[in-house]
Structure formats: structure tokens, C-alpha cells
Amino acid sequence: MKKVALLLILIFVMSPAVFSQIFLDAAETDWANIPVAIQAPDNTPGSYPADVKAAVNDIVDVKEVKAVIENDILYTQIKFWGGPAWPNSAVIEDQSGVMKVRHRGYYHLGIDLDNDATTGVNMFFYEAHYTPAGFLNSLNDPSIVIDPVGAEAAIMWGCDYEWTPVDGSEEPVVKYISYEWYDWSQNNWEIDDDRTLMIAGVEVDDPDTTDARAWVGIKTLAGSEVDVFKDDSTSTFFAGSGWGFDFIEIGMDLRPFMAYFGDANFIPGAVFGITPMIETPIDDWAVDVTTRGEVTYPGPALQRPIVFDGLENDWNDIPVAIDAPDNTPGSYPADVKAAVNDIVDVKQVKAMIEDDVLYTQLKFWGGPVWPNNAVIEDQSGVMKVRHRGYYHLGIDLDNDATTGVNMFYYEAHYTPAGFLNSLNDPNIVIDPVGAEAAIMWGCDYEWTPVDGSEEPVVKYIAYEWYDWSQNNWEIDDDRTLAIAAVEAPYPDTDKAMMWYGDMLIAGSEVDLYKDDSTSIFFAGSAFGYDFLELGMDLDPFIAYFGQELFTPGAVFGITPMIETPIDDWAVDVTTRGEVAYPGAAVTRSFIMDAKDFDWTNIPVAIDAPDNTPGSYPADVKAAVNDIVDIKQVKAVVENDVLYTQFIFWAGPAWPNNAVIEDQSGVMKVRHRGYYHLGIDLDNDATTGVNMFFYEAHYTPAGFLNSLNDPSIVIDPVGAEAAVMWGCDYEWTPVDGSEEPVVKYIAYEWYDWSQNNWEIDDDRTLAIAGVEITNPDTSKARKYDGYLTIAGSEVEAFMNDSTSMFYVGHGWGYDFLELAMDLEPLMVFFGTDNFQPGSVWGIAPMIETPIDDWAVEVTTRGEVEYTTVTGVNDREMVAEKFELFNNYPNPFNPTTTIKFTTPKASKVNVAIYNMLGQKVRTLVDRTVSAGNHTIAWNGTDDMGNMLSSGVYLYRLESQFGIKVKKMTLIK
């Protein structure tokens, strides 16, 4: 049995709290594409009068400032004219005949939250008296303009060292490293009154020179001068920094400002003014202040359902997946090697999945669970202790306990429940988990004296993703593979108790990630008194095992396995539990969840009358069943997806009992219906389909409108296009004696431009259609995901079997919400009408067998096409031309390829063998701007299966050529 975690590559790369592409690593590569916000002149001596108190030491004179906000973290890079910028040798003086040096400085960034330079701090005094640019600006030098920043707020990194001899005979000692958030709104530096308030402050524990050069973490509030946080000892904030040769990069949480100033200025697209202010003892505390720059607030951070804080309140509503017995001594024979220390014996397990992160709470019979005093021994007469442990969760991805790891050995030999189960005790049943995969949190400390005379030292904190599929623990062969591993940066005792963030991959034992140094995965953990909460990204498993196991509604078996040196590495394993996979990561503002709270603020586009019997003549073939009669329609476009909500006059709207009839003496029912939305792409009702026949003959409103009823006006929609959700069930007995069977669930995109329903000629063309594989009643009620094209009647997609489009729907009591990718319409009709601000006419058309296929059509409404994306969207509209790594890789037989293009363009995606011969063309057509996903099943253009080996996939468009490798295995 492997008793150590994968030996990881110790990484110097830092990771912020949530989903950042900026790493506080003292390297500049991740800043390359961030534009310069501020350029400042070089304060060379002689460029200003002597009475200007400007700093003339280039290592504290600002040259450039870059800034970006990601997930409520403000990242700033302040670059200096000289270097090395830290340690800064801020003061050197003769102390009793010994030349000593001290490193000290405060690196602020003032922030103008309301983007109004007339409010907030007046920095004129510093601008004019402490910088040459400011001085010349104060003299109205036309070549120098310093705009006042008007900062209400500021962040600061500060550090102070003790005095040490210049000759290096003593090691430098760091007094403190702090990160602070300030209220500058009442300050007036023209008179230097310094009316600043520290909103919040955190400090690095036991700081040293390494921490002063680079540190990142989540720290508990250490102090405050404002009411919001004055008595707060529990709030935690992210902060970090890294020193390069001539720059500092700082990342600081914006939540203290949100709590103190309110959310009014933190809206997507808000612009904040910024300016740095650098204070050091160099040149008698001369202050370097630059002109004003700007940074945009993109929107709020992804809100996670579980906060890694060592508290249980967010677990209250999560059901228990596993209850485990207490392994008290005496409850099993002595030859059962069960763990008997309650701080590592599992009591309960809870689990949930959201946004492709698996959250788990492992609760134990005792506590405190960590540090765990895993081993205590006498070392040369000194009693020493070591904290060490590995907390796994085995995952049965295919929900089949006969596949995956056989855990019988541990179940029967290391837990009393397993032992009794192996004796066929009828009271104890442990179902084998059959885990293909596992996640793990592992931590190891150095040995320290039990008497507490030395501070504990953490060796590493690791998160790992494992392939357990080939393992057989009945014979303890340990055929496990580490798919991926990450480490918490700069591990310390605080991070061992609580850490979360996106981290770069640090190691792997599989081909998929073996040479990968760029993949980023989320992981986090926190210990309470008697529990561990653990969150880990599912992306490594999705890429390695394949997307087909990760379908909405899939159920995974789970079981924990806890290993610590307590009891000679006795292993605690429980019985099996389950967790449901709800679907792919939520990336949109509108969630196909059969709930309508996300529609609350969307205005009604169409109000339709109630088609009650008697409100129209009998010869009008109007639908009279309120569960298919439209009451209202809402619609919105986001990230090239059209979201529509059809609200009906009554419910339950699905299943719709579309037809009930006597079949050979048995009353049977069938659910069937087609729910269209006609779209007038050119906003011209005189073009496109003439819906007058249906409007006048199948709806009372249309009938009355045709009689020139002044109270009823139905504007023809003139739809060129339409989208549709359709579903059909088999016949089943009304008495419920048989389960309903779903025949198909389809989504389709139509060309209606040539149709004329006045004569009902039905000249429609299916541009594209997709279907749900293995449809069932659950998917008929709700579905969300990407589907491969299944059919087409138009040239653009007729021979296309690889394009994938996003679709989704959800049935509430009296409404249907529908999500449809707009790409098929963009490719077919072109992008002229898909410009920001374009307005489309819309009208629903509902067809069901209810009332002999009476068709429900309403008056016209409108929706605006916009490129605005959801605030939590990780699938943002593409801003560049990019080809991504296929997944899974290696693959058998299907893999998925994703690419992005910044504008609509002709694209070719093709597969080549290693001889350079093209074997398959996947895409050769015009595609819309944005993200695109296609599938390849390992066949050539003739449909023949290709042999195992390495293949190239090539993306070509007007923006360039991209090529990557992939491996087909059989």
C-alpha cells in the first residue's frame, strides 16, 4: 500500500482564490496581454528643481502600472525604473560604528470607486511636491498632465525588516508583512491631514525573507478601524504578492470594499480610477505618485455553494450520503486491524456536485481532527510529534460496483463493519463501491517537539486525482495512477487548516497530463473540529475518463478511505453512498432548472389572451386546453444563446396528456407536442412566413383581429427562422400500471423564410436538429448540455456529423424554458442581423394533438440581440483565435475538439496522420464568432476506423493556423 502522496514538483507559482489567470509568481508571462494602465516618466535627477522632494531612486520610482480584476480580486503590477526593487535597502546608516541596512516600504494603490476625480482624496500636495511630473503639472507645463485620481479607497502591501549589518554577517529578520484595505474618502493630502481609516488588515504569520519576496493565501482578519469589521475575528480575505527584479505584483480581495462602501459601484462594466503611491524611507520618505489610470470591474465572482471556512452552516441542507458505525475497541476481534482513533474514523459523509466541483464533508467520531498527532515517538530523548494523513474519496463513475477497485480487503480487514459483513452478519451490509476514480487531500508535517518549543513546519499540502480502475486491494497490488496533482503554495499551518484556489498542475503519472505545465484546477479544504470539507474540480476526470460518464442525472457511488500513521496505517473505509451529477458546470445566467427565479427581471415580450371556450365562434379552431395556451412569453439573448420562457394559462403543462383514447378496451394516454418560436431576423414583418392562416383560423385573437376588432391587433411576425423543442412518448395505460416510455426529445432550427401558411404549403427546411441519446421521462422534464448534430435538410450541415450545439429546457408547473444555440441560424442566414442592438420579432407556435392539432399562435413580440455574457460565464465570447487540447486524450473511440474564433469566418478543421496525409475533414464552412465544439470518432472520410497512433488536428481560418496532437488507442 502506498503510504505517501505522489512526489510533486514543488512549484513557486501562486494561485489566487477563485479562477484566476494571474499568478503571483514573480514572473511576467501572465501579464503579457494586460494593457498598460499608467505610464510614468523617469524621475532622473536634474529633471526638476531641487526643492521638489521627489524620489530619485529608480527602485521606488514607478514606470508602468497594469491592473485587472478577476473574480473580485484586484491584481496590480507596479513596475519600476530600476531594480532589484526588493529588498530595497531603504535606509543605510552607521550605528555605533557598524554600517546597517533596513528594508522597508509601503506600496499603495489608490482606487477611485465612483470614477469621479472630484470626490475622494485630493492628492495634489503629493502630486505637486513629491514627483517631478506633479511639480511640472502644477506649473501648468503643457507636456505634463496629471489627472487627480479622487480615490475613495486604497489597498496596500507593507513590509518592515529589522536593522542588519550591511556586510551580511547576520541574516535579515522580517518584522511584519501586511496587506491592508483603506478608506481614503475623508483624507486631504493637500494639507496632509491623513484622515485615513483601515477598513481591514491581514498579516503573514511568522514572516521571513522568502515570504517578503512572494506569498499568497487566505488570511483571517487581523485588525480594523471601522464598525463593519471592528469586532470581527472570523472573516477571511485573499491577499498575495510577488517581487520580480523590477516589479511587484499584488492581488487583493475586493470584498472588504464591497462590505464597507456597498455594492453600488461594483456593477459589471464599472470603471475605477487608479494611481499608485509608493512610500519608502529612501530620500526622506519621498512619495512617488503617478498620473491616473483605469481598471474595469467585469462582474462579481463565481459564488460557490460551499465556503471553505471550517463552519458547517452551508452543509445543513445537504443530505447524509453515508452513515458509518463507531469503531470502538471491543466491537470486533483483535485480529481486525481497524482504526480505533476516533479522529480518523468516519461518522458521516455528505457530498454534492455543482459547477463541475465535487464538494465532500467527511465527519469523524472524534476531534480535533487536525492537526492529528499521527505519530508520537521518542527521538534521542526528545518526545516528538508528526501530523500526517491522506483523506481519499473513492468514486464509482459508472455506478457499477462490479467494475473498478475491489475494496474487499480493506473492508473486511480494516473496519469492524467490513469484518462483520465478511462474516455475513445480517445487520451489516457493505456494498462494494467499485471505484474507478478517487480524489485525495494529503498533508505531511516535519517532526516537532511535543512540548511546543518549536513551531510546526508543514512539508506539503497536496490535492490529487487518481485512476483506481486497475487496482485490486484484495491482494493489495496498488495499481493506482495519479491523473493530476496540485499543491497549496507556500504551505504553512494556516493553509493546512484552510486553503482553496486555482492551482497549476504540479505532476501526473498519465500521458494526458504528463508534460502539461499549464492546466489549472480548483481545489480547496477546511477542517472544523470534527470534520473535513473538501472541494475538488472534476475536470481531470472528465478529460481522462471521458464526457460520456458525466451526463446530467448520472449517479456516482462514493466511499471514503482514510489513511494515517495512527494504528500502524490502519485504514478506515465505510459502506457505499451516492452523489448525483447535475450536469456540466453552470456557465450561464439562465439555468434550465424548471425554476423561474432567474426570469424575474426579464420583461414580458408578449401578453396573450385566455382562449376560454365561448370567447370565439365555434368554427375557429383555437386550442381550448389551457395547458397549451400561451399566457406570456419572455425572451433574452446571452452569449449567442436564445433563452425563451413560454408561460401557459394553466398547468401542469408537462406531461401534457395530449391524447387519451380507448385501445382494445384499455384507456391509454400519449404525451406529445412541438413548441416553436418563430423569429423575424430582419425585423420586417412583410418578409418571411405569412402566419395569417394560423393567426386568423386557430386563435381567437387572430380571428377577432381578422374581423378588424379594434381591441385586438395581431402584427404578423414575418419569421425567417424558428427554433423548436419536440417530444413524443409511447402509449401507456392511463391507470399508471406501466412506466411511460419516451420515444425522442429533439431540438431543431428551421428556415421558415419560404413558407406560406396562408395556403398551408409547409415549405420549411430543417437547418439542423439534435436529439437526446437514451431519452427518458426525467430528461423530458429537464435537460441541459451540448449535443452532436443528428440531421439537416440544408447544404451547410447536411453531411455534418460532428458539430455540437448547446440546448436545454426545463418544465415548470405552467411554463417551459428553452435554450437554443444561435450558431445554426448564424451559419445559414449569415451574421448581418446578428449585430449588437439588432431587434427581432418573435411569436410562439404551439402544436399538440390536443383539440385535433389546433395550433396556438400569439401576437408579435420582440427580443434584442446582444453579445452580453452571463456574470458567471466561463465560456465567454471568444476574443481570440484559439485551438484547445482535445479531451479525452488518449481516446477510444471518440474525442472532443474545441476552438474559438473572434469573428464569423470560413473555418477548416481536419485530421492528419503523422505522414501529413489528411484522413478526415470535420468542418469546412463558415461558423459564427465564439466557442465551437466538434466530435471525432476515429474514422476517416470513408467511415473506416483508423488504427491506433498519434494524429494531428489542424484548425485553419483567415486568422491563422493552429495544430495540436492527439492519440487514438484501441
Side-chain angles (χ1 to χ4, degrees), residues 776-932:
D776 57 31
T777 55
S778 174
K779 293 172 184 171
R781 294 298 300 269
K782 184 169 64 173
Y783 181 81
D784 176 58
Y786 285 87
L787 295 174
T788 303
I789 191 168
S792 174
E793 297 176 340
V794 301
E795 187 175 351
F797 295 109
M798 195 169 291
N799 298 314
D800 187 349
S801 62
T802 60
S803 290
M804 300 178 76
F805 304 124
Y806 170 75
V807 292
H809 75 277
W811 279 100
Y813 177 77
D814 61 351
F815 68 87
L816 165 66
E817 53 183 352
L818 182 62
M820 301 276 294
D821 203 323
L822 288 171
E823 183 182 345
L825 301 184
M826 291 178 173
V827 171
F828 183 78
F829 290 101
T831 57
D832 289 349
N833 295 313
F834 293 82
Q835 303 300 320
S838 296
V839 175
W840 304 331
I842 56 172
M845 187 186 81
I846 313 301
E847 298 179 285
T848 81
I850 295 173
D851 298 315
D852 193 24
W853 288 102
V855 176
E856 163 80 355
V857 180
T858 73
T859 187
R860 173 193 177 92
E862 290 186 343
V863 62
E864 181 179 346
Y865 175 73
T866 172
T867 56
V868 172
T869 59
V871 296
N872 290 339
D873 205 327
R874 294 164 68 185
E875 298 279 349
M876 294 295 186
V877 172
E879 295 180 354
K880 59 183 179 180
F881 180 62
E882 190 64 69
L883 178 64
F884 298 93
N885 292 333
N886 65 303
Y887 64 90
N889 189 29
F891 63 96
N892 177 21
T894 302
T895 190
T896 300
I897 298 168
K898 181 177 177 180
F899 66 91
T900 67
T901 181
K903 294 180 181 178
S905 61
K906 179 73 178 293
V907 164
N908 181 276
V909 179
I911 310 296
Y912 293 80
N913 61 27
M914 293 307 290
L915 297 176
Q917 299 165 326
K918 182 162 63 174
V919 295
R920 179 71 184 272
T921 298
L922 297 178
V923 177
D924 189 22
R925 57 182 171 81
T926 298
V927 302
S928 60
N931 304 304
H932 300 273

Side-chain angles (χ1 to χ4, degrees), residues 43-56 127-139 141 144 286:
N43 295 353
T44 54
S47 62
Y48 46 88
D51 61 344
V52 176
K53 302 172 180 177
V56 293
E127 290 167 342
H129 292 265
Y130 284 88
T131 73
F135 177 81
L136 297 174
N137 180 67
S138 72
L139 297 181
D141 185 321
I144 301 290

Side-chain angles (χ1 to χ4, degrees), residues 679-688 717-718 720 833 839-841 860:
I679 310 171
D680 181 5
L681 291 174
D682 62 2
N683 200 26
D684 181 351
T686 65
T687 63
V717 74
E720 287 78 25
N833 295 313
V839 175
W840 304 331
R860 173 193 177 92

Side-chain angles (χ1 to χ4, degrees), residues 271-292:
V271 174
F272 304 150
I274 56 172
T275 195
M277 187 186 81
I278 313 303
E279 297 180 285
T280 80
I282 296 174
D283 298 317
D284 192 24
W285 287 102
V287 175
D288 192 52
V289 179
T290 74
T291 189
R292 173 195 178 91

